[in-house]
Amino acid sequence: EISELNCSKSIDLLYVGRPFNPEKRFDLVVKTVLEIGEPRGRLVMVGPENPNLHECIGRYIGLVTDKELSVLYNRSKYLFCPCIHEGSLSMLEAILGNCMPLVCWDNYWVQEFGLEQFACYPTTFSIIEKIKEIQSDISRFLSIVNSLKEPIKEKFLSKNVAKRILNLYETNKAKN
């Protein structure tokens, strides 16, 4: 089914995750998509739980491979990530796939990853205003996404993560 999505940025909103966990705020996703309306409100949802989306809201694809998920990020304009605590990996993958993350201020990872420019309040109005802001100055936001890529790659390369863990272990070992 992923092969159908073969034109550049053909997906307006991508949601990756479990919709039935209240902390994921999938109800906010649905309300926002309904408020945006057609044709810009198209949502593609990926994850282990089928929320039985009505066709006016979007399309549920199900579980996908990492390669297919990468294709989806590259074909999506926005990753919709309104969750309270989680979403860090999908936020980073979205940035690496040239997809704008839409995140809520109360998510810890917003400040950790420097995503303040993409943050909004967890309300339909605030999310739609953030989309309008990004669309009105798309070059600036693409530049921000591009500026975040190298720090993300550097911070999360497995050898760097392993080196930091070993350094932390050695530091703690020396204290004991």
Side-chain angles (χ1 to χ4, degrees), residues 2 4-14 39-44 69-79 93-101 118 134-135 138 141-142 145-146 149:
I2 304 300
E4 294 175 24
L5 308 172
N6 56 11
C7 65
S8 181
K9 299 297 179 191
S10 59
I11 301 168
D12 289 317
L13 298 167
L14 177 65
R40 293 182 306 158
R42 300 306 298 159
L43 171 74
V44 170
L69 186 56
S70 178
V71 169
L72 288 169
Y73 285 126
N74 278 286
R75 301 229 168 116
S76 299
K77 295 174 187 170
Y78 302 99
L79 169 71
E93 290 173 335
I95 290 167
L96 294 174
N98 295 311
C99 177
M100 307 280 178
F118 300 98
I134 292 170
Q135 289 176 338
I138 194 72
F141 282 93
L142 284 172
V145 164
N146 285 328
K149 287 180 183 179

Side-chain angles (χ1 to χ4, degrees), residues 86-134:
E86 300 175 9
S88 59
L89 183 58
S90 57
M91 291 177 204
L92 299 177
E93 290 173 335
I95 290 167
L96 294 174
N98 295 311
C99 177
M100 307 280 178
L102 293 172
V103 295
C104 291
W105 275 113
D106 57 355
N107 187 309
Y108 165 82
W109 298 106
V110 169
Q111 292 181 8
E112 178 72 17
F113 297 139
L115 300 177
E116 293 88 353
Q117 302 90 335
F118 300 98
C120 54
Y121 294 101
T123 66
T124 300
F125 176 79
S126 183
I127 293 165
I128 291 171
E129 289 301 306
K130 180 54 70 174
I131 291 171
K132 289 177 183 176
E133 178 188 348
I134 292 170

Side-chain angles (χ1 to χ4, degrees), residues 1 6 13 31 49 54 64 67 75-76 81 85 98 101 106 120 123 142 149 154 157-158 170:
E1 193 165 350
N6 56 11
L13 298 167
K31 288 176 190 172
E49 301 169 350
H54 189 278
V64 296
K67 185 176 180 179
R75 301 229 168 116
S76 299
C81 193
H85 300 292
N98 295 311
D106 57 355
C120 54
T123 66
L142 284 172
K149 287 180 183 179
E154 180 64 28
L157 280 173
S158 60
E170 291 299 326

